[in-house]
Amino acid sequence: MIYLKTDEEIELLRENNILVSETLAEVGRHIAPGVTTKELDKIAEDFIRSHGAVPAFLGYEGYPASLCISVNEQIVHGIPSSKCVLKEGDIVSVDCGTFMKGFVGDSAYTFAVGEIAEEVRQLLDVTKEALYKGTAQAKAGNRVGDISAAVQEYAEHFGYGVVRELEGHGLGRKMHEDPGVPNYGARGRGPLLKEGMVICIEPMINMGTKAVVFERDGWTVRTKDRKPAAHFEFAVAIRKDGPDVLTDFSIIEKTLKN
Ligand code: MF3
Ligand code: CO
């Protein structure tokens, strides 16, 4: 069941997604060699609560933290840990959710820790660009498959593996609503996009094989070949005049030094 949102509901979703962007910016400011992912989780939780929201991930299907923090070969759903210490050259995907005023915000950004290898920088740039290519297809009259195909085509052009096991989703009063938004697929297929739909598009792109392993902690998903993976996610409303991105990566990016 796909829930279409009113203009007022879309503004509440925007408020949440802007808070997620601000939280990711605050986390990003603290990303440095020697910092633990547990410390970053605490920063995010305090920030979210001090802005009148609650962390949407905490307790979701038993999830034990406010952020998912996935380092290097971890793709998504890494659990923050005091044993996970960031080091120069790592990449760290931070996924954050908020809940306030009855609606959810959900977005992810992959950060570099200090200087990273040129080929890893390309993986980040291409994954983010794949998100933008998908977003350009998020308009009324298109189908979900138009988004999926645009993401897949762009990432595979660089020889990267597009993760199949996880996908984007509708966003609203619940974090995961219909429709599912895969990062692979065929143009012209899948659910029709309509004005008032709000979806999260979230390419998960591997430098090597698309194959994944689900770790025994019940959450962490990593690449089978242990090569790095990137994850960028934001929320998009389908409006009369085209895609309306409810998240604002520029809030994050103006804090980045590299
Ligand atoms: N942000 C993830 C998604 O897009 C969900 C995080 S899983 C959770 O689907 F359990 F941590 F909430
Ligand atoms: Co999501």
Side-chain angles (χ1 to χ4, degrees):
M1 167 88 188
I2 295 175
Y3 299 103
L4 301 179
K5 278 81 185 180
T6 64
D7 289 353
E8 291 72 23
E9 290 172 328
I10 289 172
E11 291 318 307
L12 295 175
L13 281 159
R14 194 190 312 278
E15 274 188 55
N16 271 280
N17 282 287
I18 293 297
L19 178 57
V20 171
S21 302
E22 289 167 346
T23 308
L24 290 173
E26 181 67 11
V27 169
R29 275 191 277 274
H30 289 84
I31 288 179
V35 173
T36 72
T37 57
K38 181 91 179 169
E39 291 168 321
L40 297 176
D41 190 69
K42 171 87 164 77
I43 288 163
E45 178 169 1
D46 292 348
F47 190 89
I48 291 166
R49 292 192 191 282
S50 74
H51 287 79
V54 295
F57 297 178
L58 189 63
Y60 182 88
E61 292 181 11
Y63 187 73
S66 296
L67 299 177
C68 298
I69 309 184
S70 309
V71 180
N72 295 335
E73 74 270 19
Q74 297 176 345
I75 307 164
V76 289
H77 302 168
I79 303 171
S81 163
S82 56
K83 293 194 194 84
C84 183
V85 184
L86 299 180
K87 60 182 193 308
E88 179 92 13
D90 285 346
I91 55 170
V92 52
S93 300
V94 183
D95 194 344
C96 177
T98 61
F99 181 80
M100 67 176 170
K101 303 182 184 176
F103 287 86
V104 177
D106 179 17
S107 173
Y109 199 93
T110 302
F111 296 89
V113 184
E115 288 292 314
I116 59 173
E118 191 50 43
E119 57 169 5
V120 181
R121 168 55 58 192
Q122 183 188 275
L123 174 69
L124 303 195
D125 292 346
V126 168
T127 304
K128 191 167 66 172
E129 187 61 28
L131 168 57
Y132 294 145
K133 299 281 189 227
T135 302
Q137 298 301 318
K139 47 192 185 195
N142 273 5
R143 291 184 178 270
V144 169
D146 294 300
I147 299 173
S148 307
V151 170
Q152 178 181 19
E153 203 169 89
Y154 188 73
E156 288 184 348
H157 173 77
F158 293 85
Y160 294 149
V162 176
V163 172
R164 301 296 201 265
E165 289 82 353
L166 300 142
E167 62 184 18
H169 49 90
L171 183 74
R173 293 185 181 275
K174 293 266 151 53
M175 181 157 58
H176 293 136
E177 296 187 354
D178 289 338
V181 184
N183 295 302
Y184 69 99
R187 288 207 165 71
R189 308 290 285 271
L192 187 62
L193 298 173
K194 293 186 183 150
E195 209 183 313
M197 282 174 64
V198 176
I199 55 173
C200 283
I201 306 175
E202 48 178 316
M204 289 153 268
I205 306 296
N206 300 345
M207 183 177 281
T209 179
K210 66 179 185 295
V212 311
V213 170
F214 290 83
E215 297 279 24
R216 278 188 295 263
D217 64 11
W219 286 100
T220 312
V221 187
R222 68 158 169 91
T223 59
K224 184 149 195 271
D225 60 10
R226 295 191 184 273
K227 291 185 180 171
H231 178 213
F232 287 84
E233 171 181 19
F234 60 34
V236 187
I238 316 290
R239 311 300 290 269
K240 213 186 349 278
D241 35 10
D244 180 3
V245 178
L246 305 181
T247 309
D248 188 354
F249 278 176
S250 79
I251 295 173
I252 303 168
E253 286 167 355
K254 66 176 183 239
T255 72
L256 300 180
K257 293 166 287 289
N258 50 9

